[in-house]
Amino acid sequence: MTSSIDLLEDAFTRIRDTVRRAAGGLEPDQLSARIDPEANSIAWLVWHLTRVQDDHIAGVAGTPQRWTDGGWEQRFGLPFAPDATGYAQSAAEVGQVAGPGVTAENLVGYHEDVYTATVAYLHSLDDGDLDRVVDTSWNPPVTLAVRLVSVLSDDLQHAGQASFVRGVLERRA
């Protein structure tokens, strides 16, 4: 029988694979292109979904975020605070996820780094750990299982959006 941890790993692997397909091989101008002035770019979508995963997994694991600890913040050179994840950013801020450091190599590399940390954390767990309360600021309190599914849900949606944007851009070319 497959454990819950195996299922979670499979889901995070699917996100990683979708990120690779959505962003891999694109030029910076393609990554930052927006199909509408208010729309999210592939660069922002992949950066945001990876930042959320990094932030939330590091939070429950009690480890430093790869964004700062792995040097990705410096490589990207974005004009945001180190703890920014993209949550509630404006259309103008979405447009700032561009520039020399916002490359397919960095986007996919950062995601791979976060994926590796996520899988290592998952392998430190067993099914019994999933009932642990990780956030008491909600009613009901959030368990580890709920937090992980929340990250998966958000990331899968954004990875799918990035894939959609790539498809639209390829059809326009």
Side-chain angles (χ1 to χ4, degrees), residues 47-65:
W47 171 78
H48 167 64
L49 75 86
T50 307
R51 286 294 298 124
V52 167
Q53 185 175 332
D54 191 8
D55 175 75
H56 286 34
I57 299 299
V60 295
T63 58
Q65 292 183 31

Side-chain angles (χ1 to χ4, degrees), residues 8-27:
L8 290 165
E9 180 180 354
D10 180 72
F12 280 107
T13 300
R14 289 170 190 241
I15 294 166
R16 181 202 59 193
D17 294 347
T18 303
V19 163
R20 287 176 174 173
R21 285 190 303 274
L26 294 179
E27 296 298 321

Side-chain angles (χ1 to χ4, degrees), residues 26-98:
L26 294 179
E27 296 298 321
D29 62 322
Q30 294 169 304
L31 291 166
S32 63
R34 296 163 87 175
I35 59 176
D36 176 271
E38 298 294 312
N40 296 326
S41 65
I42 294 169
W44 185 87
L45 288 161
V46 171
W47 171 78
H48 167 64
L49 75 86
T50 307
R51 286 294 298 124
V52 167
Q53 185 175 332
D54 191 8
D55 175 75
H56 286 34
I57 299 299
V60 295
T63 58
Q65 292 183 31
R66 301 306 308 143
W67 180 245
T68 50
D69 204 53
W72 295 103
E73 178 192 10
Q74 288 76 30
R75 281 180 247 184
F76 276 75
L78 298 178
F80 308 134
D83 63 347
T85 63
Y87 179 75
Q89 285 191 321
S90 68
E93 290 169 313
V94 168
Q96 293 177 318
V97 181

Side-chain angles (χ1 to χ4, degrees), residues 1-172:
M1 173 168 256
T2 301
S3 73
S4 299
I5 304 306
D6 293 335
L7 291 171
L8 290 165
E9 180 180 354
D10 180 72
F12 280 107
T13 300
R14 289 170 190 241
I15 294 166
R16 181 202 59 193
D17 294 347
T18 303
V19 163
R20 287 176 174 173
R21 285 190 303 274
L26 294 179
E27 296 298 321
D29 62 322
Q30 294 169 304
L31 291 166
S32 63
R34 296 163 87 175
I35 59 176
D36 176 271
E38 298 294 312
N40 296 326
S41 65
I42 294 169
W44 185 87
L45 288 161
V46 171
W47 171 78
H48 167 64
L49 75 86
T50 307
R51 286 294 298 124
V52 167
Q53 185 175 332
D54 191 8
D55 175 75
H56 286 34
I57 299 299
V60 295
T63 58
Q65 292 183 31
R66 301 306 308 143
W67 180 245
T68 50
D69 204 53
W72 295 103
E73 178 192 10
Q74 288 76 30
R75 281 180 247 184
F76 276 75
L78 298 178
F80 308 134
D83 63 347
T85 63
Y87 179 75
Q89 285 191 321
S90 68
E93 290 169 313
V94 168
Q96 293 177 318
V97 181
V102 183
T103 63
E105 181 181 7
N106 278 346
L107 287 163
V108 172
Y110 174 44
H111 190 81
E112 186 69 32
D113 193 9
V114 171
Y115 167 79
T116 300
T118 299
V119 170
Y121 174 63
L122 291 174
H123 284 276
S124 75
L125 304 172
D126 61 40
D127 285 355
D129 293 318
L130 297 174
D131 290 332
R132 177 172 57 95
V133 172
V134 296
D135 189 345
T136 58
S137 66
W138 296 90
N139 187 16
V142 176
T143 64
L144 178 57
V146 169
R147 178 60 43 87
L148 292 171
V149 169
S150 175
V151 171
L152 286 166
S153 174
D154 188 67
D155 281 6
L156 282 169
Q157 290 181 63
H158 289 313
Q161 292 164 352
S163 294
F164 173 81
V165 172
R166 183 174 182 146
V168 169
L169 295 175
E170 287 173 348
R171 283 172 184 76
R172 287 183 178 175

